[in-house]
Amino acid sequence: MNRAADVHASDAREVCANAQLFVRNLKRSFPWVSIWPKLHILMHHAPDFLDLFGSIGLYGEQSIEAWHGFFTQNAAKYAVETEVGACANFVRAMAVAREASDAIFSTGARTPAEEGARTAKQAGDGRRRVKKGGPVECESTRE
Amino acid sequence: MLGEHLDQVAQLVLEGVVVGGVRRAGRLLMSGDYEALCTVHGHKGPNAAMPCLMCFCERARSRTHAALNGIYGTMQDVDAPAPAHARTSAHLVSMAARADVPANDQSQAALRLITRPPLFWGDPCQIVHIPLHILLGITLPLLRLDIELVISCRGRPVASSFSYELVEKLRRVVRVRPAPYHGGVFIGRVCHAIAQRSDVIFRALLSLVAESDHVAYKRLWVLWRGI
């Protein structure tokens, strides 16, 4: 349910069925438990939203919070007389630059090393003593 | 604070955004915590008799609201089909209009818990169901249910020591700890970790509650993990 991606119809049906079963089981097994609003939303409205928009996680507040952080970092570049106007400018610029993707949030990510780049090729490459050509005598204990 | 931006947001929804010379439509999806959504929609609050922002479902059966219970149903009727009486933008518009011309009818049936003029009157089906808060709002009551089961089967002193034991197991075995914000509770991935390692909770509960309760509780966690 929390996945920030379009949910496949079969997955959506499974989630909805599980949600209904979960709430009904809870009420049948423990009748003294009162159904609270979040359970009601999970049972009745989350499936409708999933049907209508294809995802819940995509429209959740977590992605908006991430966008908010990114906007705050770059607000000075898109400043106009109103903040909503600045937001619109920001979204427009992101859409034009084709940067409106998750990739912009992974700042400073290191690219992985090529395959085999870190394997020892020569006798002295490894850090273990066996790879450095026999035992090493500690200088401090030598008398 | 939101009032300052209302006109601009309304304009953005009405006119859309121009991207690369092409005008694109804007859709307003309301998201936020329950309290904030209630404020925006002029709703009385999550503890009101009709707490749902999407439908007119009542919290529980009561003698004073017997007529409304009959029409809209209650949240406790889990075997009933989906609520037939969804909230509509037309109702929000009419509630906003009442701010200018106060109507005589102040009954529960007329207001339906919209006690202040709504700031927006978008379609309530576009309210996003705050997945993060649902995660917190269900994982934590499930843990609480665990303690309540021990209270009902063994009494308060045993439940008290069991609760400490449970916290210790969550800390040492599941390796989770509460966040120092959000009221000092388990949040986000920690809730997922608890659901994944819920077997730790069942094992701790095994000798303390009846077999049928234990099986039912275990089934709840398995289903919750699937959601």
Side-chain angles (χ1 to χ4, degrees), chain B residues 4 85 105 149 188:
Chain B
E4 293 174 21
H85 299 275
D105 189 4
L149 278 176

Side-chain angles (χ1 to χ4, degrees), chain A residues 1-2 14-15 18-30 32-46 48-49 52-53 56-57 59-62 64 82-85 88 91-92 95-96 98, chain B residues 5 8 12 17-20 27 29 31 34 51-52 54-55 57 59 75-76 78-83 125-135 137-138 141-142 145 148-149 192 213 216-217 219-220 223-224 226-227:
Chain A
M1 191 179 72
N2 275 359
E14 191 185 332
V15 166
N18 274 347
Q20 293 201 344
L21 205 57
F22 173 75
V23 179
R24 283 178 183 152
N25 266 12
L26 177 67
K27 193 66 184 171
R28 280 176 199 152
S29 309
F30 310 107
W32 39 272
V33 172
S34 175
I35 300 297
W36 57 98
K38 278 168 187 163
L39 277 181
H40 168 78
I41 290 173
L42 178 74
M43 186 181 177
H44 290 304
H45 301 300
D48 290 347
F49 192 90
L52 203 58
F53 295 106
I56 296 177
Y59 305 101
E61 73 279 29
Q62 294 165 70
I64 298 291
T82 62
E83 192 165 353
V84 176
V91 171
R92 192 180 295 124
V96 168
R98 298 271 178 199
Chain B
H5 304 301
Q8 296 156 33
L12 210 58
V17 184
V18 179
V19 178
R27 174 176 274 165
L29 292 159
S31 180
Y34 218 93
C52 186
M54 276 73 77
C55 69
C57 212
R59 177 182 286 277
M75 287 183 180
Q76 311 307 320
V78 290
D79 291 321
C125 76
Q126 290 186 7
I127 294 173
V128 188
H129 308 283
I130 43 179
L132 173 71
H133 287 234
I134 284 188
L135 186 67
I138 293 178
L142 275 183
L145 178 63
E148 284 174 10
L149 278 176
H192 289 291
D213 285 347
Y217 185 71
R219 173 105 175 112
L220 285 180
L223 286 169
W224 177 232
I227 300 168

Side-chain angles (χ1 to χ4, degrees), chain B residues 60-71:
Chain B
R61 292 206 171 276
S62 70
R63 202 172 293 170
T64 47
H65 292 172
L68 292 177
N69 288 164
I71 298 169

Side-chain angles (χ1 to χ4, degrees), chain A residues 66-134:
Chain A
W67 270 106
H68 191 196
F70 187 61
F71 169 69
T72 309
Q73 284 172 7
N74 296 281
K77 291 183 200 169
Y78 305 101
V80 285
E81 62 269 23
T82 62
E83 192 165 353
V84 176
C87 289
N89 273 353
F90 170 73
V91 171
R92 192 180 295 124
M94 289 297 110
V96 168
R98 298 271 178 199
E99 286 177 355
S101 69
D102 291 341
I104 56 173
F105 298 121
S106 56
T107 51
R110 293 173 60 188
T111 52
E114 286 177 21
E115 197 170 345
R118 297 194 190 282
T119 51
K121 295 183 180 66
Q122 295 173 2
D125 279 351
R127 294 181 66 191
R128 290 183 181 171
R129 284 180 184 170
V130 287
K131 291 185 175 176
K132 287 186 177 176

